[in-house]
């Protein structure tokens, strides 16, 4: 039987591959599609779920069978069977039928699995299901208030600055092994072992001396007053016969360590000492289950880690090490009983995203001796992580001190003023043994350089950097002919890696590292092209929801933290609306909207309640405006009211997508009223007689980002110019991007935007809010040439200026350092800050041309429209929720080739750049392939084709001297 061309791959459960330990009662089972045939598209699917893999075959005992579901757009199905049982592995299979399949042809299929965690809410789609079994474990800790004897420091020994942090507790518990009862000749063998573990703080667990899992900084950061995550590990292979030992190291982390920049509340935001919770479930062949839980039978003491903190650093004193403590056979008679804190399990939830992991190891590019015993290590890449250092012959009591920095000062030493109160220093104290490896385990730093003192001679092979970040699978790639732009894209990627550490942080180095909402919402379109961030943002959206204020407001950071104003600012708090909408459009999962809609509506209602005249002046929080924009500031009311209109419209679209039509209409009407109020208040037109008049809003229909409002029929176009209050680039960008102007005003506003950009250099005068919109808006209004000019500019402000001065990540400021002025104010000057890296979106969508239509969800209707500019070639490849999307174009002489890949079930409008539309040819692989490609029309600089799924190869004439864009194009509206 022939193998079907259409096949599912990359199976996911709740946006994760084979997740272990979920607590979602109706998980989303999804897949991508591939085919070698043009025009291939799915007709139907079938999903089967069973507890045993062999039951997935025809006639097997199934838990749930969707049956054949006719849905050509489907790339996933929500589980709709009987209630899932806790601590159970489920296997599932999806089969997909092709529309082109012959009668009787078997569909292609693929299999995967997921496993439930300690509990699954009893809510089930069919109303059935067991209740939730209770946790049995208690929260335990080392005595947080010990009174220790004190000896005077040894003569000549340096005092250790422990920053007021306590030594890190060690906890252990011995238990019998893999057969049960262990002393019975008929003992039942162990068939499965699962460890469910969490901490109020950070933990690392070992079983019989072997580390359990590879999660770093677990269980991750949440508002611990609302949610505490736990992780599930398969430890079956680690349990042995005889005595076994479960052991844990515990540190403060976000729970009770230093977090943020508020001097009056520098740390201990959630608790004052770390606590540990674990349950080990041992299942035997006879069905019996034994459990080992944290309780007062555990014992504890402290060890080599004298302190560990995310901001201050970590200290290992090897003289305090306890050899063998995590393994069987160790005598723990001198240890103290663990202290039971409580047995409150109400806030425990299963992790919904992949953890932080050690994702890369980077060798130094240079090691320089700067003074006796002190070396400066350059890793050549700014990153978030730690170092691994091999140390030989370190005398007892001797110290190795590792300091970290992103950049060097004018004396070529570490520049640390911008770290503020973050010490970012790790310390190793020797015990006299010959060979040791030092690698901190409960801290991370933002750095490119490390100064290592205490080692007479440091070889380059004795040290490396370990990059840490949340494990979001990389799904996008970009390339082009300009090495500077390639380096820019790499800087954007490393900024994302460095700042996606449990939450999307602003920066990884100073005493901040907070989940700022605006930074994340402006960068999300770029982030979601670089990597699969669906699960990562699923978790963070819960943080945003947890942080909501009692009156319905979103905050400025999530998780919520003392020292940052709770009252959300325009553009910052609006992320609670913008982020779920973009995730829905990217991944097609309606739960992003259904979980967020109540919060979206409450946020819009809150602004409306405090601003009944529809101009957002009141309840604006710290109103950061267009943060760090150079030049003339944009009026705050302009930015605020633009976001009020934008959030209201997106709330209407979210309600519409969910079928809540009354809610949608209510918010569409409100959005229209806000747009009218905005135009009346902030927009003026200059008629031919020179008289300035307030603009008429007319009847507008909102447009998607980088799109334009549709004009009312027969709307006259006034002569003269359009001016917006403040007359700034960011002002015009937000009103054009959010569709606040009718067509007869939008084109004039776009012309004024272009004038301002050209007058500045051409250069941008935008900050965090405006920068993400600049290239897409200019492109949408026919000025891709200006977008390219901004992209390739090398003076301040520009993306390439930092690269010319050694940057390997995106800076917080356009001018964080200049040859003339040196470093900007150290109070706010990060060199690893992704917000200005939001240009990455246009590299994919504009330069390479990989995009989707404004009303498309999960890339079902693609738009491929490359903007070559002066580049010789560019390409982008993206693993969308539907399958692979790719575009690659190349200029050779006066010819251009364009290759396009469209996933099964999707279609695409392809705009082939050309100076002679009659020259365009599509090179079909076979005569029948030509039926899947249709020329729609031609226009200035392009020929437009409609294509079905598959791979396509176009050729066209393209003169090097030809313009790359020509005036506003209606089809540019995404």
């Amino acid at each position: 039987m022939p193998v079907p061309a259409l096949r599912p791959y990359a199976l996911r459960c709740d946006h994760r591959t084979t997740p272990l330990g979920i607590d979602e009662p109706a998980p989303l089972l999804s897949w991508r599609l591939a085919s070698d045939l043009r025009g291939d598209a799915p007709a139907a699917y079938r999903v089967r779920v069973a507890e045993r893999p062999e039951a997935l075959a025809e006639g097997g005992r199934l838990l749930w069978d969707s049956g054949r579901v006719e849905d050509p757009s489907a790339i996933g199905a929500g589980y709709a069977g009987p209630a899932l049982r806790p601590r159970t592995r489920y296997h599932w299979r999806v089969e997909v039928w092709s529309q082109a399949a012959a009668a009787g042809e078997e569909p292609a299929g693929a299999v995967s699995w997921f496993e439930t965690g300690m509990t699954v809410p009893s809510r089930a789609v069919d109303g059935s299901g067991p209740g939730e079994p209770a946790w049995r474990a208690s929260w335990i800790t080392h005595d947080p208030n010990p009174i220790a004897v004190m000896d005077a420091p040894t003569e000549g020994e340096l005092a250790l600055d422990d920053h007021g942090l306590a030594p890190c507790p060690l906890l252990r518990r011995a238990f019998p092994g893999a057969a049960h009862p262990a002393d019975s000749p008929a003992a039942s063998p162990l068939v499965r072992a699962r460890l469910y573990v969490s901490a109020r703080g950070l933990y690392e667990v070992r079983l019989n001396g072997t580390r359990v899992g590879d999660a770093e900084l677990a269980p991750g950061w949440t508002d611990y007053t609302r949610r505490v995550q736990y992780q599930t590990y398969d430890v079956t292979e680690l349990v042995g016969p005889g005595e076994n030992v479960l052991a844990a190291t515990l540190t403060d982390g976000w729970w009770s360590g230093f977090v943020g920049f508020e001097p009056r509340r520098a740390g201990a935001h959630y608790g004052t000492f770390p606590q540990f919770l674990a349950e080990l479930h041992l299942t035997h062949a006879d069905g019996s289950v034994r459990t080992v839980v944290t309780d007062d039978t555990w014992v504890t003491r402290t060890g080599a880690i004298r302190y560990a903190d995310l901001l201050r650093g970590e200290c290992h004193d090897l003289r305090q090490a306890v050899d063998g403590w995590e393994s069987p056979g160790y005598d723990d008679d001198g240890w103290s009983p663990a202290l039971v804190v409580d047995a409150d399990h109400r806030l425990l939830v299963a992790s919904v995203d992949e953890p932080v992991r050690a994702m890369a190891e980077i060798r130094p590019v240079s090691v320089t001796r700067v003074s006796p015993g002190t070396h400066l290590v350059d890793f050549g890449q700014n990153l978030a992580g730690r170092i691994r250092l091999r140390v030989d012959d370190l005398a007892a009591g001797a110290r190795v001190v590792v300091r970290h920095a992103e950049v060097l000062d004018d004396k070529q030493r570490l520049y640390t003023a911008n770290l503020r109160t973050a010490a970012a220093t790790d310390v190793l104290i020797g015990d006299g043994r010959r060979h040791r490896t030092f690698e901190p385990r409960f801290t991370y730093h933002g750095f490119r350089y490390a100064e290592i003192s205490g080692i007479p001679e440091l070889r380059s092979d004795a040290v490396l950097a370990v990059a840490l970040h949340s494990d979001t699978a990389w799904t996008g790639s970009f390339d082009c002919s300009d090495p500077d732009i390639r380096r820019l894209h790499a800087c954007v990627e490393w900024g994302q890696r460095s700042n996606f550490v449990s939450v999307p942080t602003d920066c990884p180095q100073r005493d901040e590292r907070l989940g700022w909402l605006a930074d994340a919402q402006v960068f999300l379109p770029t982030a979601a092209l670089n990597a699969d961030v669906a699960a990562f943002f699923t978790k963070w959206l819960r943080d945003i929801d947890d942080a909501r204020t009692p009156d319905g407001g979103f905050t400025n950071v999530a998780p919520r933290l003392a020292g940052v104003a709770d009252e959300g600012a325009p553009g910052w708090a609006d992320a609670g609306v913008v982020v779920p909408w973009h995730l829905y459009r990217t991944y097609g999962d309606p739960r992003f909207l259904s979980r967020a809609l109540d919060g979206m509506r409450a946020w819009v209602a809150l602004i409306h309640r405090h601003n009944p005249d529809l101009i957002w002046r009141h309840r604006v929080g710290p109103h950061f405006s267009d943060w760090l924009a150079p030049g003339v500031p944009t009026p705050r009311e302009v930015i605020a009211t633009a976001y009020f209109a934008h959030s209201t419209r997106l709330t209407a679209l979210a309600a519409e997508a969910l079928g809540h039509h009354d809610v949608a209409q209510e918010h569409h009407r409100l959005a229209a009223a806000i747009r009218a109020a905005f135009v009346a208040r902030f927009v003026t037109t200059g008629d031919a007689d020179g008289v300035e008049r307030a603009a008429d809003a007319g009847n507008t229909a909102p447009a998607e980002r980088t799109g334009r409002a549709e004009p009312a029929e027969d709307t006259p176009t006034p002569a003269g110019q359009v001016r917006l209050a403040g007359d700034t680039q960011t002002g015009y960008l937000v009103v054009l991007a959010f569709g606040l102007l009718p067509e007869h005003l939008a084109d004039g506003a776009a012309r004024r935007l272009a004038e301002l950009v050209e007058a500045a250099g051409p250069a941008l005068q935008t900050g965090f809010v405006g920068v993400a919109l600049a290239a897409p808006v200019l492109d949408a209004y026919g000025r891709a040439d200006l977008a390219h000019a901004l992209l390739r500019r090398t003076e301040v402000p520009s993306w390439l200026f930092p690269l010319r001065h050694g940057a390997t990540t995106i800076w917080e400021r356009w001018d964080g350092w200049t040859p003339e002025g040196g470093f900007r104010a150290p109070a706010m000057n990060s060199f690893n800050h992704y917000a200005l890296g939001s240009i990455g979106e246009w590299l994919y969508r504009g330069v390479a041309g990989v995009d989707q239509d404004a009303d498309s969800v999960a890339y079902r209707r693609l738009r491929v429209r490359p903007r070559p500019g002066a580049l010789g070639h560019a390409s982008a490849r993206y693993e969308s929720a539907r399958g692979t999307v790719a575009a690659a174009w190349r200029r050779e002489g006066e010819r251009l080739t364009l290759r396009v890949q469209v996933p099964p079930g999707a279609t695409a409008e392809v705009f082939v750049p050309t100076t002679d539309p009659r020259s365009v040819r599509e090179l079909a692989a076979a005569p029948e392939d030509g039926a899947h490609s249709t020329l729609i029309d031609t226009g200035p600089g392009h020929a437009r084709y409609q294509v079905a799924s598959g791979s396509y190869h176009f050729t066209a004439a393209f003169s090097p001297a030809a313009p790359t864009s020509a005036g506003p194009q209606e089809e540019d509206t995404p």
Side-chain angles (χ1 to χ4, degrees):
M1 180 177 294
V3 176
L6 182 67
R7 54 198 180 275
Y9 73 101
L11 274 59
R12 300 284 194 274
C13 172
D14 278 345
H15 307 289
R16 299 167 68 194
T17 303
T18 57
L20 186 65
I22 68 169
D23 61 6
E24 169 60 48
L28 175 67
L29 307 177
S30 61
W31 54 90
R32 298 173 187 156
L33 294 170
S35 177
D36 302 319
L37 299 179
R38 277 193 183 181
D40 213 350
Y45 71 86
R46 180 187 182 190
V47 174
R48 286 175 279 180
V49 179
E51 290 192 24
R52 302 179 63 84
E54 59 270 20
L56 294 174
E58 287 292 345
R61 184 176 179 180
L62 299 174
L63 180 68
W64 177 59
D65 186 347
S66 71
R68 177 172 169 138
V69 179
E70 306 291 331
D71 186 351
S73 67
I75 50 173
Y79 173 78
L84 301 173
R85 296 189 296 122
R87 301 183 299 279
T88 303
R89 177 164 295 190
Y90 294 96
H91 301 265
W92 65 283
R93 176 180 176 85
V94 60
E95 296 170 334
V96 181
W97 285 267
S98 169
Q99 293 181 14
E105 181 179 316
E106 291 294 321
V111 297
S112 187
W113 59 264
F114 64 90
E115 187 169 311
T116 53
M118 267 295 291
T119 62
V120 180
S122 57
R123 173 178 59 89
V125 293
D126 64 356
S128 65
E132 294 185 32
W135 288 75
R136 294 179 52 205
S138 299
W139 292 95
I140 63 171
T141 190
H142 184 74
D143 183 356
N145 299 302
I147 301 175
V149 298
M150 178 175 288
D151 295 321
T154 303
E155 186 66 28
E157 182 177 351
L158 298 174
L160 177 66
D161 183 2
D162 61 11
H163 309 285
L165 297 161
C168 300
L170 310 178
L171 299 134
R172 77 187 304 269
R173 166 78 151 78
F175 64 93
H180 177 69
D183 55 355
S184 169
S188 179
L190 182 75
V191 295
R192 163 189 159 116
R194 294 292 184 271
L195 178 65
Y196 307 93
V197 58
S198 185
R200 295 165 176 162
L202 303 179
Y203 71 82
E204 183 184 279
V205 180
R206 293 179 180 266
L207 183 52
N208 296 329
T210 300
R211 182 178 173 184
V212 174
D214 57 2
E216 305 282 351
L217 309 179
W221 187 11
T222 58
D223 180 342
Y224 301 101
T225 67
R226 302 297 301 274
R227 286 168 31 251
V228 181
Q229 298 184 131
Y230 72 88
Q231 285 78 41
T232 303
Y233 300 99
D234 182 349
V235 294
T236 308
E237 300 301 319
L238 299 183
V239 180
E243 182 187 48
N244 288 257
V245 171
L246 188 59
T249 304
L250 192 59
T251 71
D252 291 294
W254 292 283
W255 164 266
S256 51
F258 290 96
V259 183
F261 49 71
E262 171 56 59
R264 294 168 298 179
R265 187 70 181 277
H269 287 273
Y270 308 100
T272 56
F273 54 89
Q275 302 153 41
F276 180 65
L277 178 140
E279 288 202 14
L280 175 63
H281 288 239
L282 304 168
T283 303
H284 295 268
D286 62 1
S288 61
V289 178
R290 290 184 294 144
T291 58
V292 178
V293 304
T294 46
D295 56 20
D296 58 5
T297 64
W298 286 59
V299 292
T300 179
R301 61 161 290 174
T302 60
I305 304 180
R306 305 316 293 166
Y307 65 82
D309 184 76
L310 295 167
L311 298 183
R312 301 301 191 254
E314 190 164 335
C315 174
H316 293 196
D317 186 344
L318 300 180
R319 299 170 300 178
Q320 305 293 327
V322 185
D323 292 340
W325 71 277
E326 69 271 70
S327 299
Y330 174 81
D331 183 0
D332 60 14
D333 282 349
W335 290 44
S336 302
L339 176 68
V340 173
V341 179
D342 63 56
D344 187 352
H345 310 127
R346 291 172 297 174
L347 301 181
L348 286 168
V349 296
S351 293
V352 296
D353 64 336
E354 293 301 304
V356 175
R357 291 188 169 103
M359 299 300 294
E361 296 180 354
I362 300 175
R363 296 287 178 183
V365 296
S366 68
V367 176
T368 304
R369 185 172 180 267
V370 294
S371 65
T374 301
H375 297 79
L376 183 67
V377 183
D378 178 5
F379 292 100
Q381 176 61 58
N382 202 356
L383 58 97
R386 62 198 183 208
I387 72 158
R388 183 182 304 150
L389 176 67
R390 189 178 71 247
V391 181
D392 297 327
D393 301 318
L394 187 63
R399 297 187 184 188
V400 173
V401 178
V402 184
R403 300 169 59 232
H404 303 79
E406 299 179 287
V407 291
L408 302 179
D409 63 19
D410 55 4
K411 297 179 180 179
Q412 297 302 292
R413 300 300 295 267
L414 297 186
Y415 177 75
T416 59
N418 69 325
L419 303 185
R420 301 190 306 213
T421 65
T425 300
D426 300 325
V427 179
L428 174 67
I429 302 175
D431 62 352
R433 300 192 210 185
R434 183 170 178 79
H435 301 297
R436 287 292 196 175
T437 297
F438 176 46
E439 182 174 359
R441 290 144 56 190
F442 300 102
T443 189
Y444 78 100
H445 312 291
F447 68 101
R448 170 178 171 171
Y449 300 94
E451 180 192 86
I452 302 176
S453 59
I455 298 178
E457 296 294 333
L458 179 63
R459 294 176 38 170
S460 62
D461 62 357
V463 61
L464 55 80
V466 179
L468 303 180
H469 60 84
S470 291
D471 189 0
T472 55
W474 223 246
T475 52
S477 61
F478 170 83
D479 187 31
C480 74
S481 57
D482 188 323
D484 281 343
I485 298 176
R486 290 200 301 269
R487 287 176 57 212
L488 171 61
H489 185 252
C491 287
V492 172
E493 291 181 317
W494 273 103
Q496 179 169 337
R497 291 186 178 102
S498 303
N499 284 292
F500 279 25
V501 180
S502 186
V503 302
T505 64
D506 57 327
C507 58
Q509 75 296 103
R510 67 185 180 220
D511 57 353
E512 194 162 349
R513 313 185 195 184
L514 305 180
W516 286 100
L517 270 67
D519 303 49
Q521 69 100 345
V522 300
F523 188 71
L524 174 58
T526 295
L529 287 163
N530 282 335
D532 184 346
V533 296
F536 178 80
F537 275 94
T538 295
K539 182 265 182 189
W540 192 57
L541 283 176
R542 296 184 181 183
D543 295 330
I544 290 176
D545 191 62
D546 283 348
R548 285 172 55 199
T549 59
D551 60 358
F554 293 117
T555 53
N556 296 297
V557 299
R560 190 175 178 181
L561 197 73
V564 181
D566 284 341
E567 188 172 296
W572 270 248
D574 293 284
V577 176
V578 175
V579 169
W581 175 253
H582 188 84
L583 293 171
Y584 165 68
R585 287 203 60 224
T586 300
Y587 299 107
D589 184 348
R591 298 176 303 172
F592 285 122
L593 301 182
S594 60
R595 293 167 177 163
L597 185 60
D598 286 347
M600 297 163 80
R601 294 179 63 189
W603 172 241
V604 170
L606 174 67
I607 304 171
H608 192 192
R609 188 164 62 248
H610 288 276
N611 300 274
D613 65 351
L614 307 184
I615 302 300
W616 188 3
R617 304 182 191 86
H618 308 296
R619 222 283 188 182
V620 294
H623 206 324
F624 303 103
S625 188
D626 189 20
W627 186 247
L628 295 181
V632 178
T634 303
R636 281 180 159 83
E637 291 179 9
V638 168
I639 291 176
T641 307
Y643 264 101
F644 183 16
H646 187 49
S647 286
T648 303
R649 175 175 173 266
L650 294 187
T651 300
L653 293 176
E656 207 168 72
L658 295 171
H660 303 318
H661 300 297
D662 290 345
V663 174
Q665 287 303 312
E666 172 192 348
H667 285 80
H668 276 310
R669 286 192 295 270
L670 177 58
I674 300 168
R675 290 196 299 272
F678 182 96
V679 172
R681 178 62 182 266
F682 299 121
V683 181
T684 56
T685 60
D687 286 350
D689 59 8
V691 177
E692 191 173 85
R693 294 182 172 86
D696 177 11
N699 297 316
T700 61
E704 181 54 87
R705 179 181 169 194
T706 74
R708 294 171 288 171
E710 299 292 341
E713 292 185 9
D714 303 320
T715 300
T717 303
Q721 297 179 329
V722 175
R723 289 292 182 271
L724 177 67
D727 198 34
T728 66
Q729 293 179 14
T730 294
Y732 292 104
L733 286 168
V734 294
V735 301
L736 292 168
F738 299 164
L740 303 187
L741 303 178
E743 188 73 14
H744 71 280
L745 298 180
D747 288 337
R751 285 192 296 271
R752 181 56 181 164
L753 169 64
E755 290 170 1
L756 292 172
V757 172
E758 288 172 326
L764 288 178
Q765 298 289 301
T766 59
F768 285 18
V769 169
V771 68
L773 310 175
V777 167
L778 288 168
D779 187 355
Y781 283 88
R783 294 307 305 269
D785 60 318
L786 266 185
H788 272 286
L790 294 173
L791 183 62
R792 303 184 78 168
R793 177 182 167 87
T794 58
E795 299 84 12
V796 174
S798 71
W799 289 286
L800 297 188
F801 171 81
L803 274 66
R804 296 293 174 91
H805 295 279
T808 60
T809 47
I810 300 297
W811 292 358
E812 180 177 20
R813 295 176 178 267
W814 294 113
D815 58 349
W817 176 91
T818 63
E820 303 79 18
F823 293 104
R824 289 296 303 271
M828 191 70 62
N829 198 19
S830 160
F831 293 94
N832 194 347
H833 221 93
Y834 56 59
L836 297 183
S838 53
I839 183 62
E841 176 193 13
W842 194 70
L843 297 181
Y844 283 96
R845 301 191 191 282
V847 176
V850 171
D851 202 355
Q852 66 172 331
D853 284 343
D855 57 353
S856 169
V857 174
Y859 289 81
R860 193 170 187 213
R861 290 186 300 280
L862 307 182
R863 168 164 297 207
V864 178
R865 185 166 193 170
R867 304 303 206 208
L871 296 172
H873 68 80
S875 61
R877 187 178 186 89
Y878 172 58
E879 277 295 305
S880 78
R882 199 166 299 278
T884 303
V885 179
W889 60 265
R890 179 176 295 272
R891 295 165 62 172
E892 295 177 345
E894 296 192 358
R895 304 291 295 176
L896 180 143
T897 61
L898 171 63
R899 296 179 182 272
V900 176
Q901 185 172 346
V902 180
T907 60
E909 275 192 339
V910 179
F911 295 78
V912 183
T914 181
T915 53
D916 180 5
R918 296 171 300 177
S919 70
V920 179
R921 299 289 183 272
E922 198 282 300
L923 307 180
E928 60 271 19
D929 288 339
H932 303 293
S933 172
T934 303
L935 176 64
I936 299 174
D937 60 29
T938 62
H942 72 263
R944 181 164 61 130
Y945 285 78
Q946 180 75 24
V947 303
S949 65
S951 298
Y952 297 86
H953 182 190
F954 297 91
T955 65
F958 196 91
S959 170
T964 59
S965 60
Q969 301 293 325
E970 183 64 29
E971 55 267 29
D972 280 339
T973 304

